[in-house]
Amino acid sequence: SSARHPEETHPRWLEIRRRENKTRIVHANILYDFAKGEENPNGHYANNKIKTTKYTVLSFLPKNLFEQFHRFANVYFVFIALLNFVPVVNAFQPELALAPVVFILSVTAIKDLWEDYRRHRSDKEINHMDCLVYSRAERRYVEKYWKEVRVGDFIRLRCNEILPADVLLLSSSDPDRLCHIETATLDGETNLKQRQIVRSFFDLDCDFNPMKYNSIIECEKPNNDLNRFRGYIIHRSGKRDALYKENLLLRGCTIRNTEEAVGIVIYAGHETKAMLNNNGPRYKRSKLERQMNLDVFWCVIILLVMCLFAAVGHGLWMFQYRDKRPVFDVLSPEGTDLSPIMSAIYLFLTMIIVFQVLIPISLFVSIEIVKICQVYFIHQDMDLYDEETDTHLQCRALNITEDLGQMQYIFSDKTGTLTENKMVFRRCTVAGVEYSHDANARRLAMYQEMDSEEEDCMSHGGTLPRRDSVTSHHSAPVVLRSQSTKSHRRTGSRAEAKRASILSKHTAFSSPMEKDITPDPQLLDKVNECSSQMDFMRFHSQPMSQLPSDLSDIIDFFVALTICNTVVVSSPNQPRQKVRMRFELKSPVKTIEDFIKRFTPSRLTSGSNSSSSSSLITNRSSNKGCSSMLSSPSAESTLTKLDEEQPRRGLEHSFSSTPPCYDGKALGLEESELRYEAESPDEAALVYAARAYKCSLVGRLPDQVTVELPHLGKLSFELLHTLGFDSTRKRMSVVVRHPLTDQITVYTKGADSVIMDLITPPNTGKRQKKIVCRTQNYLNLYAADGLRTLCIAKKTLSKDEYACWLQRHLEAETAIQGREELLFESALRLETDLHLLGATGIEDRLQDGVPETIASLRKAGLQIWVLTGDKQETAVNIAYACKLLDPEEEILTLNADSQEACALLLEESLHYIQAKYLCSSTEQSAKAIHTNFPPFEIYPSSSPSSHTVPFMVHRLGLVIDGRTLAYALDKSLEDKFLAVARSCRSVLCCRSTPLQKSMVVKLVRNKLKVMTLAIGDGANDVSMIQVADVGVGISGQEGMQAVMASDFALPRFRYLQKLLLVHGHWCYSRLANMILYFFYKNAMFVALIFWYQFYCGFSGSAMIDQWYLIFFNLMFSAFPQLITGTLDKDASAETLQQLPQLYMTGQNSEEYKPYMFWMNMIDAFYQSLVCFFIPYFAYADSDVDLFTWGTPITTLALFTILLHLGIETKTWTWMNWLFIAFSIALFFTVALCYNACCPTCYSPSNPYWTIQRLLQDPLFYLLCVITPVTALLPRYFYRACQGTLFPSPVQVGRQLDKLPAETRKNILSLSRVKMGSPLSAKPPFLSLTKPSPESFIKKDQKSFPSSKASQAKQAEEERPQRGLPRHTDSEKGFPGIYTIVPTEVDTLPYTKDTPSLSREHMPPSNKDSEFLDKTLEPSDQSLSSWITSTPLLTQVDSVQLTLPPDGDSQCVKYMRNSEERLKSDDNIHPAHRTEQVLEQSLHTTL
């Protein structure tokens, strides 16, 4: 008989059944081992077999065809082919007409089949991995394949094993009832996470026995939220225990540091969270493809017009015979005459078949082939490979490569994208005293990771056992590990899984730069003095309260750094092996074991503790509050036990038996090598900083943290609670019992913006007031220096206060409804009236090449916005460091507290921009700005401000904080915000949430109709990446979530430059030209038949053999353009990178304008006329048959089309020559064979020996020379004139490529080449000069010559110094000569002693322009006309828009604080404000 569940009679069971449609009920399978079908309540849940393939053997053909017919073109071609089977209208042999469409569909089907087969192989590999499942029959765990696992099975997990499904943790071999997992393959994060067994199984004394399990689990339905799991476990007694995400182990994670764990499967197969997150690559349509579809529509219109024209012509032609039936007329199937109208209708359909080639059938397949080849070549670019992380660029979306060449706006995250996300402890302030850590600053300045190889060796050596386990194949479990590393994961590519396994060999955030902190000698002395005093007091049993407050603050500061975190300690000799040090506390509190167990916290696995919201947002907790505390049994018993505590017997028992060290070197070799597995880089940086002062974290257990202090040896802090970090509170706290004072102490660290508000009111003491004031000043300094700031504070609780808080906290923990809100309030109650200890400044270093990349992208006409969660001061300084903001830019800072204030600020900003730039500026200065930035001619939708003026980018920076941004994104203000923001050269949004980031991107994309690219590296950037036209993920330190959501994944931000400026430009240029060429080629070929209709009574017959008609586009002329589309380069990579302005051709869609399609069509019709009528007149009076005249036309069309491609090809390789030769050879081979062996294939026509006869005829060879030349002369003439007289920037770049290497190098490297307006007698750069610091003019008079003539003269004088040859008479005729005319650059020289800025403009003299005219010969205009330097209007004020208090009149004050800002920046930021000498910008002419 089938087993019955013990609970089925229980009334609760019925209630559960009713709720099952909203939640999932999981029973243990062993109770239903013999149940059949529906009797097993878990029977209807998904099994663990995964299938990511699209097709089965049976469904492949229908399903694939159905997918392909989603493409309108394919439906059209099948319709035409089927139409050809209708006898009345058929034009070709029906079977032959099917050939092209069958070929196209087959190629696509084979590609899809191959991709699906690879997925099938991968699935099979995963489904056949082993795991241990409990069998009731055998009363033990037996090996089963992953695919055989079911919901409700008990699974035993071993160390280094990968989880086969989502498992609820019920038992662990770890004495602390923890299980450590690594999620590298899920999100790329290599640090360990802790998971805890379910509360009710915590007190099991023996091993977990599945046979005794009789509970029911009720949890939420399967969903894709990795950071949330809610549910209850209902025991037989009716008692319920809450389940959290800390109890759930997710499929794809790896067990670490835990010998064995047992759990029950909750979600399996496609219902696991990892699989629900696997959406696969996204299909996006590129801008070019959308444009192309419009032109395909025009082709259809042209086709219908031609067919209609032919049909009307045929009808009229038939009509003229009236009743006299022409001899050649064919009767209808019934034997009756066809009326002219019916004939016309039939002919219309026939002509559609004949002219079908006008719609390019092979274009779509060719584009797919070319895109795959382009992706392959991008992958192969070694410049985009990062050796340090062993990662290549990944193209995850294959169909939008050309969009990379058309970007207009870039939205970037800051932390981890522009910066390294390597947090380095830089300086700190303790008790109001600042310790500058100068030696540490010098170490960082000198630091270059030249020893990265050595570092690799160390980390590899340290993890040798793990390394072997991945690479060796000696034992079965090892093979299992290696296979699973490769492919267990369906959330991304194998490359990601491989990378994750490589990453997992290293401890995160532990490079020498981050670890080896040089302590400040003054602070180190104080730490030693303090600890020795404490040791003395301990020895003499004196109370610790006698310690001077400044010293006790210092030791508390470092204790807080050491214990207020979730860092896991591991030892290097056994990688990922947790260090265990439990110290027997002889005090009565340890005897109350239940009390200890009651406070076993589970930590928020994502608990980062950085001050920046970018980390706050990445906090992978979706809970509002501190959901990290587990529920505890009843509060009453706890409080009773608290009251039972007896006074301590003495402090000496709190310490370990190891003798304390008195030599100041508390750290032995063993501890110094301990590894810290931190969850965020900030956390690691602070623990390493404390270790530098000999305050080391040496062990962490759920209820205890062990710290080693100088002189005092190892101390064990009893850990009572951990209040995890969350993005609302922006802080983290630990509640501990201090081993020296026996007091209950709260240590808190968090963002300065929140901690400073929680400090005890200053009126409590003069000293505290002074400390708070000084600390605030230092915090401002740190932020101005671009450092990330954190405040450290503490609070001591009396026993009564703690008992009172604890009671309410336990009530919150055990609450069923609104638990998160209650726990959040509980944390807020505890974290008040704090005592400030100090603050830290952590440096997040800029990635290599970021300033250069931003400068380059900006020259390319890209607008760059940075959206960050960091505080305003830090973000602004990083923005200056990475050249996003310039020192001489005006900064508009928008900070508002209400919607009305924000509206007013935006209004005033608009007025200010109008007044400053639109009214006061002369037309010429406006022009100067206009020429420097590509004007996107976009009119604001609603802002009245610039109705009449096309939008221009000004020399302005906009800084806006999160709160103001929230108001600005409101429907009523978004247009104003956009009007202000797009007038600014750079925009910096601080303290922005992930949702705000995506809203900003969406607003710009939809309102301005521009192409947007978003780049980020963390989970907080995912929404922004998905909203943008192109999403780029950085595979950095924050895991793989951004990468998994992106279209392209880059190892470093600097690679974006080459990806866009080179590969993006090439892909766009190639595809645009290829599409235009396809339209031309097909139209030209079809038009030949159209002209013949005038000579055959519009009867739909053709002078070209149907074999040639069908296969001309498919075979004879298909290959050369594939090569051109894949390999053609309109300029070299070097030129494109050194002249970023060339990128603008893609932004403005200059390679594919609507008029180009029509020009191509006109050219096609002209060429077809030539190819038709020259042979027509050549053979006019001869007696040649139709095909003897038609075959030369086909041959001439082929030659013309291939030569046309030759004219359009920019880069010739051996493959271009080979495939053009191959196409011609293929045509003649097919023609010779076909004409020789197919005399009566399609009677009555007879193509026998046609081509053989033609090849003996001299006229044929003459035609082959004259016709293509005549046909292509206009195009060649146009290209020659345009390239010589009006060259486009890209053509100039191509001319540069043709110069001798040395000459080109000099032009590119020595000149600051900028795109400006075409050179005229008075170019913009002659009439505008820079405002320049007076002191600078006095200091270095020759930098600012009074006239341009003297500048040129000075350039001649400086030539020898620059290593440039002087011009000699003999060189004048040499085309490689270039004259150098210096102009001021567009970055103001910045000196440390800049007291004031002159506003005088030096008027241009007529002599100067005359001189320049003489300098430039007419022949030099080609390069000089655009390689000019056009300075922007520079302003050097920072405009702070602030609203007066309510009492004041509502006007806006403009506070000009440029000098103060420059000075303060100079003091604070010596690294980024170096004294610059004015560069001589070189004006080059060829």
Side-chain angles (χ1 to χ4, degrees), residues 760-766 768:
T760 316
N763 53 18
T764 51
K766 205 170 186 180
Q768 180 73 353

Side-chain angles (χ1 to χ4, degrees), residues 1116-1152:
F1116 305 145
S1117 62
F1119 302 110
Q1121 77 252 12
L1122 290 183
I1123 298 302
T1124 309
T1126 307
L1127 299 178
D1128 203 29
K1129 297 176 183 177
D1130 57 359
S1132 68
E1134 185 188 5
T1135 305
L1136 287 170
Q1137 282 184 281
Q1138 300 216 18
L1139 301 180
Q1141 301 85 350
L1142 300 181
Y1143 185 76
M1144 293 181 193
T1145 56
Q1147 285 177 331
N1148 305 331
S1149 299
E1150 282 171 25
E1151 300 272 355
Y1152 192 163

